[in-house]
Amino acid sequence: MRQILIVEDEKPIREMIAFALKRSGFEVREAENSHGARVQLADRRPDLLLVDWMLPDMSGLELTRLIKREAATRDLPVIMLTARAAEGDKVAGLDGGADDYITKPFSPRELLSRINAVLRRSSGSTTDEQVDLGGLTLDRSSHRVTAAGLDVALGPTEYRMLEFFMTHPERVYSREQLLDRVWGGNVYVEERTIDVHIRRLRKALEAVHLDHRVQTVRGSGYRFSTREA
Ligand code: CA
């Protein structure tokens, strides 16, 4: 049974959601704040998280960022719930790593269709042990990258960066977004550091003549592309 963790401090809303999800065959767990959510996450990993934006201890956005920074929970799908309908907030939520966004008030039917869509999308990328793209093969179980049978020698950071790029191709990511999604953690990293790792990644890919896959988008950031620049 698919398990969903609801993180919401308002009891009536939490209960309404739990009721609707149980009726649709989901197993439900509940947390009333970010701390409670983290305790439950450490205990058992759900299939999806519903996170309210406004929580009493740490905002839902901060909680989502933390989840997406930690290697153990990075690929856990998160849907944010919020009363804010502003476009800027939606962008902030998605930039923070949320997989989708739903504005209160919503109907149980709308919520279920969003949940099912996110679960469908995420099941592909989280279970794929191997990613083949643009002439590169990335093996997630061994952390090995090959091109036409040749090993690509990568440091751990370059590996994580390439893994992120290969699972999010063709989209441009700013240095700040890459910091969030690739580095995570609470370490302080200067944005210039990103450029250093990009150079190292390109150098490693140069050995197999695929450095052009990592493209600089002037004024915006970087992208991994299978199209020729
Ligand atoms: Ca709330």
Side-chain angles (χ1 to χ4, degrees), residues 31-216:
E32 54 186 60
N33 53 40
S34 292
H35 175 72
R38 300 193 76 203
V39 170
Q40 296 225 33
L41 281 175
D43 178 43
R44 198 182 147 189
R45 185 192 156 98
D47 294 290
L48 184 142
L49 245 84
L50 286 178
V51 177
D52 186 41
W53 186 298
M54 300 292 282
L55 292 169
D57 49 351
M58 178 197 289
S59 80
L61 184 62
E62 272 308 302
L63 175 64
T64 301
R65 284 211 175 107
L66 271 178
I67 287 166
K68 296 292 180 180
R69 270 176 200 170
E70 283 165 19
T73 51
R74 186 173 293 155
D75 51 13
L76 198 58
V78 176
I79 297 180
M80 288 209 61
L81 310 175
T82 182
R84 309 168 179 222
E87 191 62 25
D89 288 334
K90 179 173 174 169
V91 170
L94 295 176
D95 277 352
D99 298 87
D100 204 355
Y101 186 97
I102 189 161
T103 308
K104 291 175 180 174
F106 50 82
S107 67
R109 206 175 129 187
E110 188 185 356
L111 179 65
L112 281 164
S113 83
R114 296 291 186 93
I115 287 174
N116 287 324
V118 168
L119 285 175
R120 262 198 311 277
R121 258 191 281 152
S122 75
S123 61
S125 63
T126 52
T127 54
D128 281 353
E129 284 281 288
Q130 193 174 299
V131 186
D132 285 289
L133 198 70
L136 289 162
T137 300
L138 183 136
D139 187 294
R140 286 169 145 173
S141 57
S142 63
H143 282 207
R144 262 182 81 197
V145 177
T146 53
L150 292 171
D151 266 312
V152 180
L154 297 170
T157 304
E158 288 74 38
Y159 171 82
R160 285 207 310 278
M161 194 177 238
L162 185 61
E163 183 187 28
F164 176 75
F165 275 140
M166 285 177 72
T167 50
H168 301 80
E170 312 301 339
R171 263 182 74 173
V172 182
Y173 290 92
S174 68
R175 289 172 178 80
E176 199 188 342
Q177 286 172 320
L178 287 172
L179 264 181
D180 243 29
R181 305 292 291 270
V182 178
W183 270 256
N186 306 311
V187 283
Y188 178 73
V189 181
E190 278 186 72
E191 293 194 355
R192 260 184 317 197
T193 310
I194 305 260
D195 302 336
V196 173
H197 288 282
I198 288 276
R199 270 203 299 278
R200 285 190 197 158
L201 176 58
R202 281 197 180 127
K203 194 148 188 248
L205 293 176
E206 209 178 79
V208 291
H209 310 292
L210 288 171
D211 48 304
H212 57 286
R213 293 276 173 253
V214 179
Q215 302 171 357
T216 304

